[in-house]
Structure formats: structure tokens, C-alpha cells
Amino acid sequence: MRKVTVFFLISTFFLSGCWDQRLYKELSVISVVGIGGHIGELKAYYAYPSSGTDPIQYIVLEGEGKTAREVRIDANKKTEQTMDIAELTTILVSEETAKDDLYALLDVYYRSAQSPMTAKVMVTEGTSKRFLELKETIPKEIGEYYLDFVQSFEDATIFPKTNLEMTANLMFSEGRDLALPYLKTSSDKALPQAEGLALFNGKKYTGKYLTLRESTFATLLGYRKARIVELAYLWNKKGEKVSVAFDVIRFKKKKKVIQDGDNIKIQYKINMPIVMTEYPPDHLDRKQVRKELENFIERSVEKDINRMFKKSQEASSDILGIGEYIRAYHPQLWREGKWKDIYKDIKIEAKVNAEIVRSGSIR
């Protein structure tokens, strides 16, 4: 028995302790970061809770410097505790800043073992600082608020699911471009609102963004349908304005590349079963009425998709990943030249087939 006791006593000296533990009471836990300025003259804003009992109360630290790391060091000097980004949920980048090399701004997060790769990256209209000065209006902890905010748009198939890791992958992809949520707010104390998807060309924001509806179709065509898809239009039917709203049950797409000499055309064929959620004239049990309504929906959706294509091509932003498809299935086109030079001039069109499968909750 004595030998066993001695063995265990000696063994305790070889047991490793929690050498890397970090206590919350010793840290300023950052949940949201705002980035502004340009490399050489950067600013960043770090939000962290200021009360252990009221999560709505928070402090915003401001740092300045020539590099992203120098900015963080500067901000860290202004707090009584050490800044910690292990629970970072959101990185907000000002639109003018995003027009520079975005990866150069985010490199400091990719190289840190503490950085959560699940953090969301968003582009803001104007300074990102304004989006951190909303203490009186945000109903919950600011990091939790922005995370829930963007995830609600992902669930509604308006934004594709992205995070810090996926953002880096798309910045270096040759066949698909990055698109990030674009936010705006009307004043310093107004809640932020989503405007659409900011279009990137490589690592730089192009200065153009899609509307929310165009973003929905970009997500459907370039990624996949998430939990729900809700759409609404106003139909000017024989001089009368009629409300039309529906949910998309499924969204099936087929892509075809047609080459005629130097001319390239890409055709999308889309099948879209829907359920009507608003149509005051009713009588959808009549075949002719349903057909007219389906034709209107098809024309409206095709118009929005074509507008989305035009904006993306003008911005040289291949957010649908058409280049990935070309490289995989038509390598001869990929080898002919730089894909972006080809992408801007190709003709892209969509043909939509909408089918009303349900006209209400009981029909």
C-alpha cells in the first residue's frame, strides 16, 4: 500500500496543468470588430460587454495604426484587461476599406489560433463605427445580435452561408467570387438593415451590390435553397394593382453552355413549384386564372434574374461560380484566356417554369 501511495505522489509531479487557461474575469471578451481606413492608416473598433449582469451594456475600444496587428496592440493598451477574440461573432468592414485587399485586413485573424473561423464578415455603408454605436436600440448582446441577424437572412435564402474560413477560400478561388452581406443604417441610433450582397472581384469590393431580391436569386442559383424562400410582387393587371406573394417549395436548376465560334451563351432552366401566400382576386381553382398568374410570376422572376446577371457581369464578379463549371466541364474555354475577360461578355439567360402546387393552407 505504501508503494502505491508513493507512486501516485511521484506521478503528480508529471501531470500537466492548465497552462493555457484564460479566465473571463481577466479578459475583455470581444464579440464584434469594426474595421475602417486603409493599410498604413487603419482604425478598428472592438466591442465587449461592460456589465456582468446586463449583456446589452458594452464598451467600444478604438485602435489606430499602420497594420491590423498594430491597431489591435494600440486598442489593447486602452483597456484594463487583455483583449480576447475567442468569442468573436462578427467582423464589420467599411465599404471604402473593403475596396482594398480584404485578405490583408483579415490575415491577422487567420493567423491567430484564438480566432473562431465561424465568425461572419459583413460590409457596411459608410464607417463601421456607426454600427457599433447602437446601445439604446439593440435588444441583446451586440455580438449575439449581429450573428442572429445575418443567420436569419441565411435561413431565408437571401444570403449564402459564409464565415471567416469560407471568405478566405473564395478570395483565392479562380472560378467563383466572394459576396458578403451589405448593411446600412439611416442614423447612428437606428437598427442596421440588410441591403443585399456586396460583390467582390478577387479580394476587393467592386463598389456594387445586389438588392435583397437579386441576392435571393444569386443564392438560389449559386448555392442552394435554405429553409424558406419568400417572394412578393405587384402585378399591374389591366390597370389594377394586384398583390402577388408566394413561397418557393423547391428550386431545381440546370445549366447548359452553348458555344458558337467566339460567342458563348449560358442557359439556365429553372423549375419552381410554389405555394401562393397572397393573391386577393382568388379563383385559383380555375385553370386559366392559374396559368395567367404563373406566366406573370415566370416573367417577373426571369427579369430579376437577368438584372442580377447584368450587375454581376458589370462588376466582373462571378458569384454564381460559373467559372467552376466551365473549368470542370469545358476546359477548352477555360484555357482560351482569362476567365474574367470571357465572363464579362458572355450571354447568360434564364428560363423559369413556375407551377402553383398549392393555393393556400387548405387547398
Side-chain angles (χ1 to χ4, degrees), residues 33-302:
V33 174
I35 303 174
H38 305 276
I39 295 293
E41 196 174 346
L42 275 175
K43 286 187 177 182
Y45 314 95
Y46 304 87
Y48 71 95
S50 60
S51 171
T53 57
D54 187 359
I56 297 178
Q57 299 301 315
Y58 63 92
I59 294 174
V60 178
L61 293 174
E62 183 172 333
E64 297 183 8
K66 295 182 174 62
T67 70
R69 175 58 68 179
E70 187 177 26
V71 168
R72 187 185 296 182
I73 293 171
D74 182 59
N76 205 23
K77 294 176 182 177
K78 300 174 183 178
T79 176
E80 73 283 3
Q81 298 171 317
T82 303
M83 284 171 43
D84 184 270
I85 59 171
E87 293 191 11
L88 182 67
T89 68
T90 311
I91 301 174
L92 303 172
V93 185
S94 302
E95 57 183 342
E96 289 303 316
T97 305
K99 291 178 182 178
D100 294 340
D101 185 338
L102 181 63
Y103 184 83
L105 299 170
L106 301 181
D107 179 76
V108 66
Y109 298 96
Y110 294 118
R111 293 183 185 276
S112 173
Q114 296 178 12
S115 298
M117 291 295 103
T118 55
K120 304 292 184 180
V121 184
M122 293 183 267
V123 177
T124 66
E125 181 190 55
T127 174
S128 60
K129 182 180 181 181
R130 186 171 62 183
F131 292 79
L132 297 177
E133 297 176 337
L134 307 171
K135 298 180 184 179
E136 291 81 9
T137 53
I138 289 183
K140 59 176 72 172
E141 194 275 322
I142 186 169
E144 182 184 358
Y145 172 82
Y146 274 113
L147 181 61
D148 291 345
F149 180 87
V150 71
Q151 285 179 342
S152 69
F153 283 87
E154 292 175 351
D155 290 341
T157 324
I158 297 174
F159 296 156
K161 292 184 182 295
T162 59
N163 54 40
L164 200 55
E165 180 182 5
M166 296 167 69
T167 296
N169 292 339
L170 288 173
M171 280 191 284
F172 288 97
S173 172
E174 294 182 353
R176 183 188 292 265
D177 278 309
L178 174 66
L180 294 176
Y182 183 74
L183 307 184
K184 71 178 296 186
T185 180
S186 56
S187 67
D188 289 344
K189 294 186 178 181
L191 284 172
Q193 60 188 49
E195 282 293 291
L197 282 173
L199 300 175
F200 279 73
N201 183 351
K203 303 174 187 177
K204 298 182 179 182
Y205 172 47
T206 63
K208 296 184 179 182
Y209 64 90
L210 302 177
T211 65
L212 291 177
R213 186 178 291 168
E214 292 163 356
S215 299
T216 298
F217 291 116
T219 303
L220 284 168
L221 287 167
Y223 295 86
R224 62 179 180 83
K225 176 182 176 294
R227 192 168 61 85
I228 57 173
V229 180
E230 298 178 307
L231 295 168
Y233 293 93
L234 191 63
W235 186 7
N236 190 355
K237 184 180 180 183
K238 298 178 181 178
E240 181 182 358
K241 293 182 179 179
V242 178
S243 301
V244 176
F246 55 92
D247 292 348
V248 178
I249 300 174
R250 290 184 300 277
F251 192 88
K252 295 183 178 180
K253 68 229 181 218
K254 288 185 179 181
K255 188 162 43 201
K256 184 178 181 182
V257 177
I258 301 173
Q259 184 176 12
D260 183 12
D262 295 331
N263 298 318
I264 301 171
K265 181 167 68 173
I266 296 179
Q267 291 181 335
Y268 282 89
K269 288 188 177 181
I270 299 164
N271 287 318
M272 195 174 68
I274 61 176
V275 53
M276 298 304 303
T277 56
E278 184 180 15
Y279 185 66
D282 204 11
H283 300 297
L284 290 176
D285 55 325
R286 301 175 184 175
K287 186 176 180 180
Q288 184 60 31
V289 174
R290 293 170 78 100
K291 189 61 180 176
E292 288 180 2
L293 181 56
E294 288 171 346
N295 289 339
F296 166 75
I297 291 172
E298 289 169 355
R299 293 194 304 270
S300 300
V301 170
E302 288 172 359

